Amino acid sequence: MSAIRLSCAVNNYHWGKHGLASKAAQFAATNPDVTIDDEQTYAELWMGTHPNGPSMVYGTDTQLDDVISENASVALGASVSQRYNGNLPFLFKVLSIEKALSIQAHPDKQLAQQLHAMRPNDYKDGNHKPEMSIALTDFIALSGFRPLDEIAAFLDVYPEFSALVSGAAPEFRRAVAEGTDSERRSALKALFAELMMARDEDVRKQVEALVARVSEPSCNGTELDVSEAALVRRLNNDYPGDVGIFCVFMLNVLRLRAGDAFYMGPNDPHAYIYGDCIECMATSDNVVRAGLTPKQRDVQVLVDMLTYDYGAPSHKLMQPEHKSSVHALYNPPIDEFSVVRSSVNAG
């Protein structure tokens, strides 16, 4: 089968970059039928068969899924077609982030099937959504829980954070100092749950105090500043008074350069803060959110689903395998996809 030119779906979510500042818009603009509006946000470009944003064969009304269905063993290869019942097993996206997007995680298959069965209007499919992101520009994200001693230190440094988790903090400190791994995970879950379920009025009060303290002239940084003070200010500007602001003290901060990648497995908390990336995932649109979003929040579901793995940010990063001078393979620990980066000269 020869290569097929596609027309790809674009999402204009509020957190996207405006106009041609967005990589999603730049790729969308390769379609001569697309006109980019400088006043519009362009958040995502989807390439795949998911019904929420199916790709079309360029210049036709034919969906990519229809082309695959005609002869899946040829379009996908016999082994992939057989394993995934003739369906494209991955969804490929370009994301362009100006404002942070939600504290979130994606369910494993068992939970995805349960959520889809109980609430099909909120969770559109029963598949898991492990995903990998590869930065196209300088990129900032939160991913996975920090080393526990860092979280404990933040409890001492930031009284506003400590005030929101006063019930769980003593046991958390004890577990960090002398607990087993199981006790530490349990204490981490209790701390995160108390934070994310704090009363809105208490959160707003503590955010106001925190922002006042980190907004001194000496705290001013650059757009790519990933200090705690800079991130607090940025997130409060994006989502004033939101509890997700305090996740800066609980989740690892990643600052990536173009070509850097990280993997997010099922039930792994993360949030994108700024930049452009490509994102590849199992074919699903299931997202469980709990902060930094105007969308529906399923805080209890998120708290209960997480694995509470913790550790240094380096364990989230993926190193590509360089297959040649121009090809690099990003190969996450799942079966649905890998990504090959090919570098070619301009012109």
PDB file of all heavy atoms in Angstrom, residues 10-30:
ATOM      1  N   VAL A  10      -8.295  19.138  13.901  1.00  0.00           N
ATOM      2  CA  VAL A  10      -7.636  20.129  14.758  1.00  0.00           C
ATOM      3  C   VAL A  10      -8.583  20.495  15.884  1.00  0.00           C
ATOM      4  O   VAL A  10      -9.774  20.741  15.658  1.00  0.00           O
ATOM      5  CB  VAL A  10      -7.255  21.392  13.957  1.00  0.00           C
ATOM      6  CG1 VAL A  10      -6.630  22.432  14.884  1.00  0.00           C
ATOM      7  CG2 VAL A  10      -6.305  21.044  12.827  1.00  0.00           C
ATOM      8  N   ASN A  11      -8.057  20.549  17.103  1.00  0.00           N
ATOM      9  CA  ASN A  11      -8.841  20.974  18.262  1.00  0.00           C
ATOM     10  C   ASN A  11      -8.390  22.362  18.699  1.00  0.00           C
ATOM     11  O   ASN A  11      -7.183  22.639  18.773  1.00  0.00           O
ATOM     12  CB  ASN A  11      -8.670  19.992  19.427  1.00  0.00           C
ATOM     13  CG  ASN A  11      -9.366  18.675  19.155  1.00  0.00           C
ATOM     14  OD1 ASN A  11     -10.437  18.641  18.564  1.00  0.00           O
ATOM     15  ND2 ASN A  11      -8.755  17.574  19.579  1.00  0.00           N
ATOM     16  N   ASN A  12      -9.363  23.204  19.018  1.00  0.00           N
ATOM     17  CA  ASN A  12      -9.085  24.594  19.394  1.00  0.00           C
ATOM     18  C   ASN A  12      -9.310  24.824  20.883  1.00  0.00           C
ATOM     19  O   ASN A  12      -9.928  25.809  21.285  1.00  0.00           O
ATOM     20  CB  ASN A  12      -9.961  25.538  18.568  1.00  0.00           C
ATOM     21  CG  ASN A  12      -9.804  25.331  17.079  1.00  0.00           C
ATOM     22  OD1 ASN A  12     -10.705  24.819  16.421  1.00  0.00           O
ATOM     23  ND2 ASN A  12      -8.658  25.714  16.530  1.00  0.00           N
ATOM     24  N   TYR A  13      -8.791  23.919  21.713  1.00  0.00           N
ATOM     25  CA  TYR A  13      -8.964  24.057  23.155  1.00  0.00           C
ATOM     26  C   TYR A  13      -8.340  25.370  23.652  1.00  0.00           C
ATOM     27  O   TYR A  13      -7.401  25.911  23.051  1.00  0.00           O
ATOM     28  CB  TYR A  13      -8.341  22.879  23.883  1.00  0.00           C
ATOM     29  CG  TYR A  13      -8.927  21.531  23.505  1.00  0.00           C
ATOM     30  CD1 TYR A  13      -8.099  20.427  23.293  1.00  0.00           C
ATOM     31  CD2 TYR A  13     -10.295  21.341  23.353  1.00  0.00           C
ATOM     32  CE1 TYR A  13      -8.617  19.183  22.958  1.00  0.00           C
ATOM     33  CE2 TYR A  13     -10.829  20.110  23.021  1.00  0.00           C
ATOM     34  CZ  TYR A  13      -9.982  19.030  22.820  1.00  0.00           C
ATOM     35  OH  TYR A  13     -10.499  17.811  22.475  1.00  0.00           O
ATOM     36  N   HIS A  14      -8.840  25.829  24.786  1.00  0.00           N
ATOM     37  CA  HIS A  14      -8.436  27.143  25.291  1.00  0.00           C
ATOM     38  C   HIS A  14      -6.960  27.218  25.638  1.00  0.00           C
ATOM     39  O   HIS A  14      -6.366  28.299  25.660  1.00  0.00           O
ATOM     40  CB  HIS A  14      -9.263  27.491  26.544  1.00  0.00           C
ATOM     41  CG  HIS A  14      -8.828  26.747  27.774  1.00  0.00           C
ATOM     42  ND1 HIS A  14      -9.174  25.423  27.995  1.00  0.00           N
ATOM     43  CD2 HIS A  14      -8.069  27.115  28.832  1.00  0.00           C
ATOM     44  CE1 HIS A  14      -8.652  25.026  29.143  1.00  0.00           C
ATOM     45  NE2 HIS A  14      -7.983  26.022  29.660  1.00  0.00           N
ATOM     46  N   TRP A  15      -6.321  26.081  25.912  1.00  0.00           N
ATOM     47  CA  TRP A  15      -4.924  26.090  26.361  1.00  0.00           C
ATOM     48  C   TRP A  15      -3.919  26.124  25.218  1.00  0.00           C
ATOM     49  O   TRP A  15      -2.712  26.196  25.434  1.00  0.00           O
ATOM     50  CB  TRP A  15      -4.643  24.893  27.264  1.00  0.00           C
ATOM     51  CG  TRP A  15      -5.140  23.562  26.782  1.00  0.00           C
ATOM     52  CD1 TRP A  15      -6.287  22.927  27.158  1.00  0.00           C
ATOM     53  CD2 TRP A  15      -4.494  22.686  25.828  1.00  0.00           C
ATOM     54  NE1 TRP A  15      -6.404  21.716  26.500  1.00  0.00           N
ATOM     55  CE2 TRP A  15      -5.325  21.546  25.698  1.00  0.00           C
ATOM     56  CE3 TRP A  15      -3.319  22.755  25.093  1.00  0.00           C
ATOM     57  CZ2 TRP A  15      -4.991  20.484  24.846  1.00  0.00           C
ATOM     58  CZ3 TRP A  15      -2.986  21.698  24.241  1.00  0.00           C
ATOM     59  CH2 TRP A  15      -3.824  20.580  24.135  1.00  0.00           C
ATOM     60  N   GLY A  16      -4.387  26.093  23.967  1.00  0.00           N
ATOM     61  CA  GLY A  16      -3.484  26.049  22.832  1.00  0.00           C
ATOM     62  C   GLY A  16      -2.821  27.389  22.541  1.00  0.00           C
ATOM     63  O   GLY A  16      -3.239  28.451  23.007  1.00  0.00           O
ATOM     64  N   LYS A  17      -1.774  27.320  21.729  1.00  0.00           N
ATOM     65  CA  LYS A  17      -1.116  28.539  21.259  1.00  0.00           C
ATOM     66  C   LYS A  17      -1.941  29.171  20.136  1.00  0.00           C
ATOM     67  O   LYS A  17      -2.704  28.501  19.450  1.00  0.00           O
ATOM     68  CB  LYS A  17       0.289  28.222  20.749  1.00  0.00           C
ATOM     69  CG  LYS A  17       1.258  27.799  21.851  1.00  0.00           C
ATOM     70  CD  LYS A  17       2.671  27.623  21.302  1.00  0.00           C
ATOM     71  CE  LYS A  17       3.649  27.277  22.405  1.00  0.00           C
ATOM     72  NZ  LYS A  17       5.033  27.144  21.886  1.00  0.00           N
ATOM     73  N   HIS A  18      -1.740  30.469  19.952  1.00  0.00           N
ATOM     74  CA  HIS A  18      -2.539  31.211  18.969  1.00  0.00           C
ATOM     75  C   HIS A  18      -1.871  31.183  17.589  1.00  0.00           C
ATOM     76  O   HIS A  18      -0.651  31.327  17.465  1.00  0.00           O
ATOM     77  CB  HIS A  18      -2.723  32.659  19.405  1.00  0.00           C
ATOM     78  CG  HIS A  18      -3.703  32.831  20.518  1.00  0.00           C
ATOM     79  ND1 HIS A  18      -3.382  32.575  21.843  1.00  0.00           N
ATOM     80  CD2 HIS A  18      -5.015  33.206  20.512  1.00  0.00           C
ATOM     81  CE1 HIS A  18      -4.444  32.805  22.595  1.00  0.00           C
ATOM     82  NE2 HIS A  18      -5.438  33.181  21.822  1.00  0.00           N
ATOM     83  N   GLY A  19      -2.709  31.042  16.576  1.00  0.00           N
ATOM     84  CA  GLY A  19      -2.272  31.187  15.198  1.00  0.00           C
ATOM     85  C   GLY A  19      -1.076  30.320  14.854  1.00  0.00           C
ATOM     86  O   GLY A  19      -0.928  29.187  15.334  1.00  0.00           O
ATOM     87  N   LEU A  20      -0.194  30.873  14.027  1.00  0.00           N
ATOM     88  CA  LEU A  20       0.956  30.111  13.550  1.00  0.00           C
ATOM     89  C   LEU A  20       2.085  30.010  14.573  1.00  0.00           C
ATOM     90  O   LEU A  20       3.131  29.412  14.285  1.00  0.00           O
ATOM     91  CB  LEU A  20       1.474  30.715  12.241  1.00  0.00           C
ATOM     92  CG  LEU A  20       0.568  30.446  11.030  1.00  0.00           C
ATOM     93  CD1 LEU A  20       1.046  31.233   9.818  1.00  0.00           C
ATOM     94  CD2 LEU A  20       0.507  28.954  10.717  1.00  0.00           C
ATOM     95  N   ALA A  21       1.887  30.561  15.766  1.00  0.00           N
ATOM     96  CA  ALA A  21       2.813  30.266  16.858  1.00  0.00           C
ATOM     97  C   ALA A  21       2.678  28.814  17.299  1.00  0.00           C
ATOM     98  O   ALA A  21       3.567  28.265  17.951  1.00  0.00           O
ATOM     99  CB  ALA A  21       2.550  31.194  18.048  1.00  0.00           C
ATOM    100  N   SER A  22       1.564  28.182  16.928  1.00  0.00           N
ATOM    101  CA  SER A  22       1.259  26.799  17.288  1.00  0.00           C
ATOM    102  C   SER A  22       1.819  25.842  16.245  1.00  0.00           C
ATOM    103  O   SER A  22       1.566  25.984  15.047  1.00  0.00           O
ATOM    104  CB  SER A  22      -0.253  26.617  17.397  1.00  0.00           C
ATOM    105  OG  SER A  22      -0.623  25.258  17.314  1.00  0.00           O
ATOM    106  N   LYS A  23       2.582  24.839  16.703  1.00  0.00           N
ATOM    107  CA  LYS A  23       3.048  23.794  15.781  1.00  0.00           C
ATOM    108  C   LYS A  23       1.862  23.015  15.212  1.00  0.00           C
ATOM    109  O   LYS A  23       1.891  22.584  14.055  1.00  0.00           O
ATOM    110  CB  LYS A  23       3.993  22.839  16.505  1.00  0.00           C
ATOM    111  CG  LYS A  23       5.330  23.443  16.906  1.00  0.00           C
ATOM    112  CD  LYS A  23       6.213  23.701  15.711  1.00  0.00           C
ATOM    113  CE  LYS A  23       7.593  24.157  16.135  1.00  0.00           C
ATOM    114  NZ  LYS A  23       8.444  24.540  14.979  1.00  0.00           N
ATOM    115  N   ALA A  24       0.834  22.821  16.011  1.00  0.00           N
ATOM    116  CA  ALA A  24      -0.366  22.148  15.497  1.00  0.00           C
ATOM    117  C   ALA A  24      -0.946  22.915  14.313  1.00  0.00           C
ATOM    118  O   ALA A  24      -1.349  22.332  13.306  1.00  0.00           O
ATOM    119  CB  ALA A  24      -1.401  21.994  16.606  1.00  0.00           C
ATOM    120  N   ALA A  25      -0.990  24.248  14.436  1.00  0.00           N
ATOM    121  CA  ALA A  25      -1.497  25.072  13.332  1.00  0.00           C
ATOM    122  C   ALA A  25      -0.571  25.014  12.130  1.00  0.00           C
ATOM    123  O   ALA A  25      -1.022  24.978  10.977  1.00  0.00           O
ATOM    124  CB  ALA A  25      -1.664  26.516  13.802  1.00  0.00           C
ATOM    125  N   GLN A  26       0.734  25.011  12.384  1.00  0.00           N
ATOM    126  CA  GLN A  26       1.688  24.966  11.271  1.00  0.00           C
ATOM    127  C   GLN A  26       1.524  23.691  10.454  1.00  0.00           C
ATOM    128  O   GLN A  26       1.558  23.723   9.221  1.00  0.00           O
ATOM    129  CB  GLN A  26       3.112  25.071  11.813  1.00  0.00           C
ATOM    130  CG  GLN A  26       3.457  26.430  12.399  1.00  0.00           C
ATOM    131  CD  GLN A  26       4.822  26.441  13.058  1.00  0.00           C
ATOM    132  OE1 GLN A  26       5.737  25.712  12.665  1.00  0.00           O
ATOM    133  NE2 GLN A  26       4.977  27.278  14.080  1.00  0.00           N
ATOM    134  N   PHE A  27       1.348  22.555  11.133  1.00  0.00           N
ATOM    135  CA  PHE A  27       1.135  21.309  10.408  1.00  0.00           C
ATOM    136  C   PHE A  27      -0.232  21.294   9.729  1.00  0.00           C
ATOM    137  O   PHE A  27      -0.372  20.804   8.603  1.00  0.00           O
ATOM    138  CB  PHE A  27       1.283  20.116  11.356  1.00  0.00           C
ATOM    139  CG  PHE A  27       2.714  19.777  11.678  1.00  0.00           C
ATOM    140  CD1 PHE A  27       3.252  20.073  12.915  1.00  0.00           C
ATOM    141  CD2 PHE A  27       3.522  19.165  10.735  1.00  0.00           C
ATOM    142  CE1 PHE A  27       4.572  19.777  13.213  1.00  0.00           C
ATOM    143  CE2 PHE A  27       4.840  18.851  11.026  1.00  0.00           C
ATOM    144  CZ  PHE A  27       5.375  19.157  12.265  1.00  0.00           C
ATOM    145  N   ALA A  28      -1.246  21.842  10.403  1.00  0.00           N
ATOM    146  CA  ALA A  28      -2.575  21.894   9.790  1.00  0.00           C
ATOM    147  C   ALA A  28      -2.547  22.739   8.527  1.00  0.00           C
ATOM    148  O   ALA A  28      -3.256  22.443   7.552  1.00  0.00           O
ATOM    149  CB  ALA A  28      -3.588  22.457  10.786  1.00  0.00           C
ATOM    150  N   ALA A  29      -1.718  23.776   8.510  1.00  0.00           N
ATOM    151  CA  ALA A  29      -1.665  24.704   7.388  1.00  0.00           C
ATOM    152  C   ALA A  29      -1.039  24.095   6.136  1.00  0.00           C
ATOM    153  O   ALA A  29      -1.107  24.700   5.058  1.00  0.00           O
ATOM    154  CB  ALA A  29      -0.911  25.967   7.780  1.00  0.00           C
ATOM    155  N   THR A  30      -0.430  22.915   6.251  1.00  0.00           N
ATOM    156  CA  THR A  30       0.070  22.246   5.046  1.00  0.00           C
ATOM    157  C   THR A  30      -1.083  21.781   4.161  1.00  0.00           C
ATOM    158  O   THR A  30      -0.871  21.450   2.999  1.00  0.00           O
ATOM    159  CB  THR A  30       0.961  21.046   5.409  1.00  0.00           C
ATOM    160  OG1 THR A  30       0.197  20.076   6.145  1.00  0.00           O
ATOM    161  CG2 THR A  30       2.154  21.492   6.252  1.00  0.00           C
TER     162      THR A  30
END
